[in-house]
Amino acid sequence: MVQQETLTAERVLTGPADSWSEALRIARETCDTAAAAQRAGFPIPRRRPDGWGARGLRPGWVFDWTAATVDAWEHDGMFRTGGSSPFPW
């Protein structure tokens, strides 16, 4: 018998939402849409109009949505949409 290795990792999905349940629902929709496109041989869709998006999805990943957590995140200035960067690269 061959034992399959179980890999675990955290995934961070960000985007605007009015409630914790909405954030979890949108995150799941975003991941499901990306996985369906990938399985069908299409590129993963870019960012949705509401700001949510998935990147770096690996084939075969299985998300444990029952273990998902949601938390508020405030923009801290580390990520910039344009202009100067505090980093030299």
Side-chain angles (χ1 to χ4, degrees):
M1 178 180 354
V2 176
Q3 183 176 354
Q4 184 174 3
E5 181 180 350
T6 302
L7 302 175
T8 60
E10 291 185 7
R11 310 293 182 258
V12 177
L13 303 155
T14 62
D18 291 328
S19 68
W20 303 127
S21 59
E22 182 182 43
L24 187 58
R25 177 186 58 77
I26 296 170
R28 188 169 187 163
E29 285 175 4
T30 302
C31 286
D32 289 348
T33 300
Q38 189 177 62
R39 282 190 306 272
F42 296 108
I44 294 173
R46 302 302 281 172
R47 186 177 306 259
R48 295 169 27 144
D50 61 8
W52 288 81
R55 293 268 122 329
L57 183 65
R58 303 285 191 267
W61 270 357
V62 177
F63 290 85
D64 181 1
W65 291 104
T66 62
T69 58
V70 178
D71 201 357
W73 176 71
E74 294 257 346
H75 190 282
D76 63 5
M78 290 288 293
F79 300 103
R80 300 182 189 279
T81 56
S84 63
S85 169
F87 303 106
W89 56 87

